[in-house]
Amino acid sequence: WKPAWSVRAVPVDYMVPGYNSGRVNTLRLWTAKSYDEFDLLTFNKSEYLDAVKPQVAAENISKILYPEDSTPEGKALRLEQQYFFVAASIHDAIRVFYPGQDKPDLTTFPSKINFQLNDTHPVIGIPELMRVLMDEYGYDWNTAWGITTKTFNYTCHTLLPEALEVWPAKLIGELLPRHLEIIQGISEQFRNELRGKGVAEDQVERMRIATDADENGEGAVVRMAYLATYGGSYVNGVAELHSELLKDVTLKDFSNVYPDKFKNVTNGVTPRRFVRLSNPRMSALITEGLGTDAWQGDLELLEGLKPLADDPAFVKKFAEVKKQNKLAFVDFAKQKYGFEINPDTMFNTIVKRLHEYKRQSMKILQVISTYAGIKNGTIDVDKMLPRTVFFGAKSAPGYAMAKLTIQLINNVARVVNNDPACKGKLAVFFPENYNIELAMNLIPATDLDEQISQAGKEASGTGNMKFALNGALTVGTLDGANVEIRERVGAENFFLFGMTVDEVEKLYAEGYDHGGSRKYYESDPRLKTAVDMVADGTFSNGDKSVYEPLVNDWLTHDYFMAMADFSSYMDIQAQIEETYRDPMKWARMAVLNVANSGYFSSDRSIEDYLDRIWHTGALPTAE
């Protein structure tokens, strides 16, 4: 392979100190630089833009992660990024583990390093390691393949087919021709291996890593998830339900042939960042209740709080902590965003990437339904539970429906927050640029967390873990890690609604996504009123065309079944409000959520990887 152009990968190290471990990890990031940053001869000919073209082209690679990729240029840049990061990392690993060796024995490579493929984005690393081993170090195909498959493992973070990357073979061939040759070789080897196992030919074709082009030379693709599954030792999902659905649905053909490859490692979150640092008031109370701060390094110790859920004095202290956190967030939001928030309301939060399957649309329709009830008198304003709803989300830059939903939420907030009829009773806020700073302030202040994705679509979620650990109660479906959270905190301390995975599949089989949603719209006056208000321009200054794409999708397609689950969702919200009116009951449930969520620590998650995937023990604690 003789590349048309090359870039320099310059390391940028980010130091990450361990907690009471005596060690510091190095997170090595990469920035792209040109070998020819400035062409003086071109510049002196007054061709000023051409003089810096190499510099711009190189630096674009690491300027923006996940660029918009609906254009051919965007797709090419994404592939360049993926190759750049994995190629730099593989070469760096060889340099680090075989320092100063011209001819290292790379057959020992898997005993020194493991590459965990975090979704499909770095899977081009498999053919890159093969290329390095064969073309740069002279190993034969079989030796290189043996080293490669022992080095890589694959974590799948999705169940959505569109999130399992499929690259046009033509694009890979244009940018990385040698890698396409290697991928095609892997694909043929895989097909022969399957045939040798007696796999039926139709299944062999379904499992192809690289497909053939049509008669026009178009249409050939490379399925990166399939390459990762075949090219690594293990595949894991990130929650028990997700891992089962990976085996039973998404990668069913592969699990039938290679059942021992599939594992589960449920996600976790760091208790130091998302409890100790983000919630110092609650952390101090936990330490007081347990009589030790050792829980920060062993989160399962939170179980010791369970008896304190029956101690009225402790529960009152816990409720006071939540109140103080809410007051602190009111100050933070006033200074940061200019929001005027009533702390004497339920803080109801839905923060996650904006995607139709996560169903932010269902939440805003519930808000609109409540607003409609206030305006038409079906809700007694004097008796209603005051609620403040927070949205936090970002969308992919080319995701039109997600952006339209963001616009709708902001316009609902504009209308509701400026209507005197809602003052002190209902408010909606959408702070921009949801990030760690906002999370660390909002999560400890939240009363009710929304985990309302359609059953069978969320891989895991980690926000649900952060909220439970910080004393918020959850309203959610049986999806992702919600299932495990509910099992641990107790069904009585979790607000469950919505269809199960089996019920969702049954509804799909009945043709729901071809107009089946309309009957739910027609049969629930609360839903019909809310949808009609979006359609009639209530939130778009009377312009009925603005949200026409959203309304049409809800009533004719609604693939993620927000309409079908809406009635169940509204019913559970009524139960939530009734529970919230009993402050001691609510606080006691919140204590039990904290006490039973210790399993969802990133420490436990990494221990699972050490045990189930990497097969190596933890390093002893440094003195």
Side-chain angles (χ1 to χ4, degrees):
W1 178 34
K2 292 182 173 59
W5 63 294
S6 299
V7 297
R8 289 187 298 136
V10 179
V12 181
D13 286 350
Y14 191 92
M15 310 310 285
V16 185
Y19 177 74
N20 283 349
S21 70
R23 289 192 171 85
V24 177
N25 274 344
T26 301
L27 175 62
R28 174 150 285 186
L29 309 175
W30 299 97
T31 186
K33 297 289 185 183
S34 172
Y35 280 101
D36 304 303
E37 293 190 0
F38 185 76
D39 188 334
L40 184 60
L41 291 176
T42 303
F43 184 85
N44 285 336
K45 289 189 289 184
S46 300
E47 296 170 2
Y48 304 129
L49 292 178
D50 288 343
V52 294
K53 265 187 178 179
Q55 178 183 356
V56 172
E59 292 183 357
N60 278 344
I61 292 175
S62 58
K63 193 177 292 291
I64 299 292
L65 192 60
Y66 303 138
E68 209 282 305
D69 64 343
S70 62
T71 64
E73 294 82 6
K75 283 185 170 63
L77 180 56
R78 278 220 183 189
L79 185 57
E80 286 175 3
Q81 283 187 339
Q82 293 181 2
Y83 177 69
F84 170 78
F85 288 122
V86 300
S89 298
I90 287 172
H91 283 81
D92 192 48
I94 294 173
R95 181 191 63 81
V96 168
F97 286 96
Y98 300 91
Q101 298 180 39
D102 292 333
K103 294 184 178 180
D105 177 11
L106 294 181
T107 60
T108 64
F109 197 64
S111 68
K112 297 177 182 291
I113 195 162
N114 185 290
F115 290 122
Q116 193 70 35
L117 298 168
N118 195 33
D119 238 336
T120 50
H121 307 115
V123 172
I124 196 70
I126 290 175
E128 169 65 1
L129 182 57
M130 287 288 288
R131 184 195 70 81
V132 169
L133 291 170
M134 292 189 297
D135 297 358
E136 296 186 12
Y137 290 94
Y139 290 97
D140 63 80
W141 176 282
N142 289 338
T143 303
W145 184 246
I147 295 168
T148 298
T149 55
K150 292 185 183 73
T151 299
F152 286 97
N153 295 295
Y154 169 43
T155 299
C156 180
H157 285 274
T158 187
L159 292 166
L160 301 177
E162 65 267 26
L164 297 174
E165 283 183 311
V166 176
W167 284 106
K170 183 179 179 183
L171 175 60
I172 298 177
E174 290 170 353
L175 192 69
L176 303 167
R178 176 62 173 138
H179 295 75
L180 181 60
E181 285 183 351
I182 292 170
I183 290 168
Q184 289 169 337
I186 292 170
S187 184
E188 280 307 300
Q189 173 183 282
F190 182 42
R191 294 173 76 195
N192 292 332
E193 185 177 314
L194 292 173
R195 290 174 179 135
K197 292 177 178 290
V199 176
E201 193 61 28
D202 61 335
Q203 184 175 339
V204 172
E205 287 302 302
R206 288 199 306 270
M207 297 172 71
R208 285 186 67 160
I209 294 169
T211 66
D212 293 329
D214 59 24
E215 60 273 11
N216 299 315
E218 301 289 336
V221 298
V222 176
R223 297 161 170 160
M224 303 307 274
Y226 291 8
L227 176 58
T229 303
Y230 176 55
S233 295
Y234 295 106
V235 180
N236 71 278
V238 289
E240 287 178 2
L241 176 63
H242 174 236
S243 295
E244 287 304 311
L245 290 172
L246 267 186
K247 290 191 294 184
D248 297 343
V249 181
T250 309
L251 296 172
K252 182 178 181 180
D253 286 335
F254 286 83
S255 68
N256 287 340
V257 179
Y258 304 103
D260 294 340
K261 274 198 177 194
F262 286 79
K263 307 286 184 182
N264 174 61
V265 178
T266 298
N267 277 336
V269 299
T270 167
R272 273 78 65 186
R273 168 71 62 182
F274 287 109
V275 183
R276 176 63 188 87
L277 288 179
S278 64
N279 202 341
R281 295 179 187 87
M282 192 187 77
S283 296
L285 183 60
I286 290 172
T287 297
E288 177 189 323
L290 296 177
T292 176
D293 64 359
W295 59 271
Q296 297 172 41
D298 182 2
L299 207 56
E300 297 279 12
L301 293 176
L302 292 180
E303 288 189 351
L305 296 175
K306 281 196 271 191
L308 296 175
D310 295 319
D311 179 350
F314 184 84
V315 174
K316 283 181 181 177
K317 287 181 181 179
F318 192 91
E320 181 61 24
V321 162
K322 180 64 71 175
K323 179 181 178 181
Q324 293 303 316
N325 286 345
K326 292 171 75 170
L327 290 169
F329 183 74
V330 168
D331 290 342
F332 168 81
K334 171 70 173 175
Q335 294 176 22
K336 184 85 174 177
Y337 306 105
F339 294 161
E340 296 285 351
I341 299 171
N342 181 359
D344 298 320
T345 60
M346 172 198 279
F347 281 14
N348 180 188
T349 302
I350 177 168
V351 289
K352 47 189 75 261
R353 183 165 51 88
L354 204 304
H355 196 292
E356 288 164 281
Y357 86 82
K358 294 176 185 283
R359 303 200 292 193
Q360 286 94 344
S361 59
M362 187 163 69
K363 182 63 193 173
I364 200 62
L365 285 170
Q366 183 243 337
V367 171
I368 295 169
S369 176
T370 304
Y371 176 60
I374 293 171
K375 297 297 286 182
N376 63 28
T378 57
I379 292 177
D380 187 336
V381 178
D382 293 331
K383 293 182 180 178
M384 73 174 286
L385 181 76
R387 188 188 296 233
T388 301
V389 180
F390 299 100
F391 288 84
K394 296 173 183 176
S395 75
Y399 194 170
M401 200 67 85
K403 291 193 164 194
L404 200 57
T405 305
I406 290 172
Q407 187 196 57
L408 173 62
I409 294 166
N410 278 285
N411 277 334
V412 170
R414 174 180 54 81
V415 171
V416 168
N417 296 352
N418 288 292
D419 192 324
C422 298
K423 189 169 180 61
K425 297 298 182 180
L426 179 65
V428 181
F429 296 100
F430 196 149
E432 71 270 13
N433 192 28
Y434 182 69
N435 56 20
I436 297 298
E437 180 190 32
L438 177 53
M440 289 175 65
N441 283 275
L442 178 56
I443 290 172
T446 294
D447 296 304
L448 178 67
D449 167 42
E450 305 256 350
Q451 300 292 333
I452 59 177
S453 55
Q454 183 194 27
K457 295 299 187 290
E458 186 71 83
S460 166
T462 54
N464 46 9
M465 302 169 188
K466 294 167 190 169
F467 281 103
L469 280 164
N470 280 276
L473 301 189
T474 305
V475 54
T477 53
L478 286 176
D479 195 29
N482 287 358
V483 177
E484 292 163 80
I485 290 174
R486 182 171 177 264
E487 286 173 355
R488 283 175 166 80
V489 305
E492 69 280 8
N493 299 309
F494 185 104
F495 297 107
L496 178 67
F497 80 98
M499 293 177 287
T500 64
V501 171
D502 290 342
E503 289 167 339
V504 165
E505 291 305 316
K506 184 173 182 291
L507 211 51
Y508 278 140
E510 295 170 2
Y512 175 87
D513 54 324
H514 297 285
S517 59
R518 183 167 282 275
K519 74 173 184 179
Y520 294 92
Y521 160 80
E522 298 286 359
S523 63
D524 189 333
R526 300 167 299 185
L527 177 59
K528 188 175 189 304
T529 299
V531 172
D532 289 350
M533 288 177 74
V534 177
D536 68 16
T538 299
F539 306 105
S540 48
N541 297 315
D543 187 342
K544 298 180 180 181
S545 67
V546 172
Y547 297 117
E548 195 173 343
L550 271 179
V551 174
N552 284 343
D553 184 81
W554 290 339
L555 299 183
T556 63
H557 187 53
D558 188 34
Y559 185 78
F560 299 107
M561 300 183 181
M563 306 294 106
D565 265 346
F566 186 81
S567 179
S568 171
Y569 180 61
M570 291 295 286
D571 292 345
I572 199 66
Q573 290 290 342
Q575 181 186 329
I576 288 165
E577 294 191 2
E578 181 184 344
T579 306
Y580 190 79
R581 292 180 190 278
D582 184 342
M584 287 296 286
K585 180 179 180 181
W586 186 277
R588 181 180 183 277
M589 292 168 68
V591 170
L592 289 170
N593 266 259
V594 175
N596 290 299
S597 294
Y599 174 79
F600 301 104
S601 167
S602 56
D603 301 334
R604 188 272 315 148
S605 189
I606 293 301
E607 286 173 1
D608 283 352
Y609 275 106
L610 288 167
D611 180 46
R612 299 176 188 174
I613 310 296
W614 304 330
H615 301 306
T616 181
L619 286 170
T621 302
E623 294 299 328

